[in-house]
Amino acid sequence: MTGGGSLLPGLVVGLLVASVLSVPLARRLGYASGYVLSAAVSAGLIAVALQTPTVLAGRSLDFAAPWLSSIGVRFAFRLDGLALVFTLLVLAVGALVLAYCPSYAAGAGLQRPGRFYAAMMLFAAGMVGLVLAADGVLLYVFWELTTVSSFALIDHRGDTGHRRAADRALLITVVGGLCLLAAVLLAGTTSGTMDVGTWARDPARLGGALGVILPLVVLAAATKSAQLPFHVWLPDAMVAPTPVSAYLHAAAMVKAGIYLLARLAPLFEPHPGWRALVVAVGLSTAVFAAAVALTRDDLKALLAYSTVSQLGLMVALLGVGTFEAVAAALLHAIAHAAYKSSLFLATGAIERRHGTRDLRRLSGLSRSMPAMATALVLAVASTAGLPPLLGYASKEEAFSALLHGHGPLTIGLLLTAAAAAAVALTVAYSLRVAAVAFGGGPVSRREAPGWMLVATGVPAVAGLALGVVVSRLSASLAAASGDATGHDGHLDLGLWHGATGAFWASLAATGAGVVVFALSDLSRRWAGVLPDGRDAVEAVRRWLRQLGDVLARPLMSPAPAVHLAVVLVVAAVAVAGAWVHETPVQSVPATDVSGQETVLALLLTVACVGVAGARDRLAAVAVLGTAGFLVAALYVLHGAPDLVLAQLLVDALLVALIVFVFRRMPREHPEVARPRRIAAAAVGGLIGLVAGATTFVLGGGRELSPVAGHYLHAATAGEAGGNAVNAVLTDFRALDTLGEITVLATAAVGVVALVGAYGRERDR
């Protein structure tokens, strides 16, 4: 742990604690508790910001504590240049959104503030933990934490529409999470370490597994960052409250995929084909989503597809993978977080003031809400990439990186042309949004509440301020890009670099966007031509449900024997496969069996056959009790009186319980068809064969593991009288024993309740 490293787990734990405390806090303050939580997040933001000089000096903050030491998993966090950028974004936008929530909730009629704020803070903790995690397993844990918390936030109202959107988001992002888990486990087992930084610094340690890890990483990032064809969950998630959209789907959650690609960017260097695929997916998403956004009249839906488009551009830049391209992607991520969070928050205020989000019904915002209109115009101008806003600087850097990336100039020109098409469409839909600030409209002035206006205006003004002083970001982004790519470099950010190729591409794209906007009525006719992908997702969902029905149908029998047979057969096959694969047959020791043991074994076999063949239920119970006593006799021969007592007690209780149940049922077993009897005999024989063979193979002569040796030594030295079983149950695993007793007691109560209910129903 380096100096200041304890800040990192403290920050994550603090956010988790805030999530828990938000419930009682909301009971007392209602949605006004958002101000308190905003102050808490702001404190974390300041604490991280104070570490900026240390990080820019090339000294990362590190914290590590043991977790699962046997497999090399640690509670490891690292704050370097890349993590610093995303941590500041998550905390800054989070603080603003939480301050916005109380005013928004007052007019939106949101319910259950405790649950809402708990999920918001849980998401913040998950996202901060994700970007700080230095261990692969820890990264996956926080990745899934963002998935679960976002599901709760999208489904905040709990009605059918919200649940369907939340289910769709969960289905797609969980698939990505499983891909990430597979990639993490494969990388960890191949490289011998779970340290994410080691994977990125030395991809050669992953060997041939890298060819499998890369597609898994791409799939995980594509699902989280809403790339084609996984983009459909993001527009549907707009049913969530506006603060959720501003936080999760503009600044934080969708950036998780961007962060993952940036963090693991060096893995793609040995495989240029995967780089090309990432670039193609990113640019295709950017153009397609921008075209769909132009056809949307609902402001929130337009912003959702705009987000998908901007994420596509970032993914394409990360696919190029050069130092300059990664820096441009990070700069665009900052610009996007600023202007898109402002636009989403402005949408909530406008909807509250005018009662609609339909662009066809909105106009004259500059007269009714002048301050909000100013923030809206600033954010839209940054979206369109107009100087001197930060969006302009990020657009120029993106064009330059694509134009001068890997490969011949022809490839660079093609990539720049595709990006220019996306930018042109972005300019067109940005002008549509800006138009709501002008024209005729309500004369009465009714500005948004103070904190709602502040939360909306701060990121919009920040986009202007950071654009003017964009050169001040050069050092921070150079450090972040260096940590991402593993290469040092120099950035010279600015609003003007001369009449470069990037400038002319930007100018041409802006001009084309104005033309497309002038033809917007014609452009919006594309709405029926461009599919949004929902039908495809629903078709996949129906297919998965049908497949589940087909696979589950054989197990849907009401007979407990069917379910028990499945469990036993699977266990038998697994155990048999394990000992056949791992244990050489020649290691089986010779075993001396006494005559007394042979007689007891034969009697026990006869008793078991008698239980299986008895037609009378009480006779079967009596023979079963006899089998239990025979087992106790075997324990006597082996000198285990404690096991004898336990066996007799369990046997007596079991027989009494079965008799208690059977007295409510017919005396004789129902007639069973011959095929079922044969199947039951086969299952029983398989279980007996595997159990007997396992005992025979592993019962003697097997080398003790270190854990077993420790148990035997402790049992001999302790008060258990040399009885390792007693020592394990009472000394080492007392809580497990207590849990088992609790489970058995609960099961017994349940059986008694069911039998009573059955008896009352029969008496009726």
Side-chain angles (χ1 to χ4, degrees):
M1 180 176 67
T2 61
S6 58
L7 165 68
L8 308 182
L11 178 62
V12 176
V13 171
L15 292 171
L16 291 172
V17 171
S19 174
V20 175
L21 295 180
S22 61
V23 175
L25 185 65
R27 290 198 189 104
R28 185 174 183 84
L29 300 178
Y31 273 99
S33 55
Y35 298 128
V36 178
L37 297 174
S38 176
V41 174
S42 298
L45 172 65
I46 295 172
V48 174
L50 291 175
Q51 305 301 321
T52 301
T54 301
V55 174
L56 294 185
R59 301 192 303 272
S60 64
L61 274 69
D62 295 276
F63 173 89
W67 183 13
L68 303 175
S69 303
S70 60
I71 57 175
V73 178
R74 304 172 300 155
F75 277 112
F77 299 94
R78 181 177 298 118
L79 181 68
D80 57 7
L82 181 62
L84 179 67
V85 170
F86 283 92
T87 303
L88 292 177
L89 278 182
V90 172
L91 294 176
V93 177
L96 291 172
V97 169
L98 288 167
Y100 175 96
C101 285
S103 299
Y104 175 83
L110 295 182
Q111 304 296 322
R112 297 175 291 182
R115 172 184 169 180
F116 177 80
Y117 282 130
M120 286 286 279
M121 298 304 296
L122 189 65
F123 173 81
M127 194 66 200
V128 170
L130 189 156
V131 300
L132 293 178
D135 183 272
V137 173
L138 196 62
L139 184 147
Y140 167 74
V141 169
F142 285 116
W143 179 282
E144 290 297 72
L145 184 60
T146 63
T147 298
V148 173
S149 54
S150 66
F151 172 84
L153 288 167
I154 296 171
D155 188 36
H156 175 67
R157 292 188 184 274
D159 57 30
T160 303
H162 287 71
R163 175 56 57 85
R164 187 170 299 167
D167 287 346
R168 188 174 291 118
L170 185 67
L171 173 65
I172 294 175
T173 53
V174 162
V175 170
L178 293 175
C179 292
L180 178 61
L181 176 61
V184 164
L185 296 179
L186 187 57
T189 55
T190 304
S191 65
T193 177
M194 285 291 180
D195 186 76
V196 179
T198 301
W199 301 342
R201 287 190 301 270
D202 189 10
R205 294 186 62 167
L206 302 177
L210 187 58
V212 180
I213 293 171
L214 285 179
L216 293 172
V217 170
V218 171
L219 282 172
T223 56
K224 206 77 161 183
S225 57
Q227 299 300 287
L228 287 175
F230 308 107
H231 67 286
V232 294
W233 71 264
L234 183 57
D236 284 348
M238 292 302 111
V239 299
T242 295
V244 175
S245 302
Y247 193 23
L248 276 67
H249 308 132
M253 179 177 174
V254 292
K255 297 296 195 304
I258 303 301
Y259 171 79
L260 182 66
L261 288 177
R263 177 58 73 190
L264 300 178
L267 299 185
F268 291 87
E269 288 187 9
H271 293 267
W274 282 108
R275 282 197 181 281
L277 177 63
V278 172
V279 172
V281 170
L283 289 177
S284 300
T285 302
V287 175
F288 169 80
V292 176
L294 186 60
T295 68
R296 294 299 183 260
D297 294 315
D298 183 284
L299 181 54
K300 209 171 179 183
L302 184 151
L303 295 178
Y305 280 103
S306 169
T307 298
V308 175
S309 177
Q310 302 304 318
L311 292 170
L313 182 57
M314 296 177 217
V315 167
L317 290 168
L318 293 171
V320 172
T322 62
F323 178 87
E324 293 76 12
V326 173
L330 298 178
L331 180 61
H332 197 59
I334 297 172
H336 178 261
Y339 65 67
K340 196 55 64 69
S341 60
S342 181
L343 286 172
F344 271 113
L345 295 179
T347 299
I350 293 170
E351 183 180 16
R352 176 181 172 181
R353 170 66 177 85
H354 294 277
T356 182
R357 301 193 307 251
D358 194 327
L359 291 173
R360 296 167 298 184
R361 298 171 57 190
L362 289 172
S363 184
L365 189 64
S366 60
R367 303 174 66 186
S368 61
M369 306 174 72
M372 187 62 67
T374 302
L376 178 73
V377 170
L378 282 175
V380 167
S382 188
T383 305
L386 301 181
L389 290 115
L390 188 60
Y392 172 79
S394 68
K395 180 184 65 174
E396 294 287 294
E397 292 298 322
F399 279 138
S400 177
L402 292 171
L403 192 59
H404 302 104
H406 294 297
L409 178 61
T410 305
I411 299 298
L413 290 173
L414 289 175
L415 298 182
T416 305
V423 170
L425 294 168
T426 300
V427 171
Y429 67 67
S430 297
L431 290 174
R432 284 196 68 203
V433 176
V436 306
F438 308 103
V443 178
S444 61
R445 177 172 175 174
R446 185 184 173 189
E447 196 58 80
W451 277 109
M452 185 177 283
L453 183 59
V454 169
T456 306
V458 166
V461 174
L464 174 61
L466 291 175
V468 173
V469 298
V470 67
S471 59
R472 300 289 185 91
L473 299 178
S474 298
S476 300
L477 290 178
S481 184
D483 289 326
T485 61
H487 303 296
D488 294 329
H490 175 71
L491 291 178
D492 183 22
L493 301 178
L495 292 175
W496 177 251
H497 294 290
T500 62
F503 168 77
W504 292 114
S506 176
L507 186 62
T510 303
V514 173
V515 173
V516 173
F517 170 70
L519 302 174
S520 59
D521 289 339
L522 177 63
S523 302
R524 278 151 55 193
R525 295 178 185 175
W526 300 346
V529 177
L530 295 172
D532 58 14
R534 293 183 184 179
D535 293 340
V537 173
E538 286 301 318
V540 172
R541 193 174 176 183
R542 287 194 299 271
W543 179 82
L544 289 175
R545 187 171 295 173
Q546 292 170 358
L547 178 62
D549 291 340
V550 171
L551 295 176
R553 192 171 295 122
L555 307 178
M556 297 304 290
S557 170
V562 175
H563 301 276
L564 183 61
V566 171
V567 173
L568 293 176
V569 168
V570 171
V573 172
V575 171
W579 67 254
V580 168
H581 177 71
E582 298 292 340
T583 306
V585 176
Q586 60 268 26
S587 67
V588 177
T591 304
D592 294 329
V593 180
S594 66
Q596 294 172 321
E597 290 176 323
T598 303
V599 172
L600 287 176
L602 292 174
L603 292 176
L604 187 58
T605 303
V606 173
C608 291
V609 173
V611 172
R615 291 292 305 275
D616 186 275
R617 294 182 188 272
L618 294 180
V621 172
V623 178
L624 182 62
T626 302
F629 286 117
L630 291 171
V631 172
L634 281 175
Y635 291 152
V636 171
L637 292 179
H638 287 277
D642 54 328
L643 293 182
V644 174
L645 293 175
Q647 175 66 28
L648 292 176
L649 179 61
V650 170
D651 189 59
L653 290 175
L654 182 62
V655 170
L657 181 61
I658 294 176
V659 170
F660 178 69
V661 173
F662 280 2
R663 71 187 183 89
R664 296 280 187 171
M665 302 176 69
R667 184 177 182 86
E668 292 188 353
H669 288 293
E671 184 66 29
V672 178
R674 183 180 180 84
R676 182 171 176 180
R677 292 202 303 270
I678 295 175
V683 171
L686 175 64
I687 300 300
L689 179 63
V690 171
T694 302
T695 303
F696 183 67
V697 171
L698 304 180
R702 183 164 55 96
E703 184 178 349
L704 291 178
S705 67
V707 175
H710 170 73
Y711 279 157
L712 288 176
H713 174 74
T716 304
E719 299 179 358
N723 191 316
V725 175
N726 285 350
V728 170
L729 293 179
T730 60
D731 296 338
F732 306 123
R733 298 182 60 184
L735 290 178
D736 286 352
T737 304
L738 176 62
E740 293 166 359
I741 293 172
T742 304
V743 169
L744 290 174
T746 304
V749 172
V751 170
V752 171
L754 288 174
V755 170
Y758 174 80
R760 289 191 298 270
E761 185 67 23
R762 193 184 66 172
D763 292 340
R764 291 178 184 175

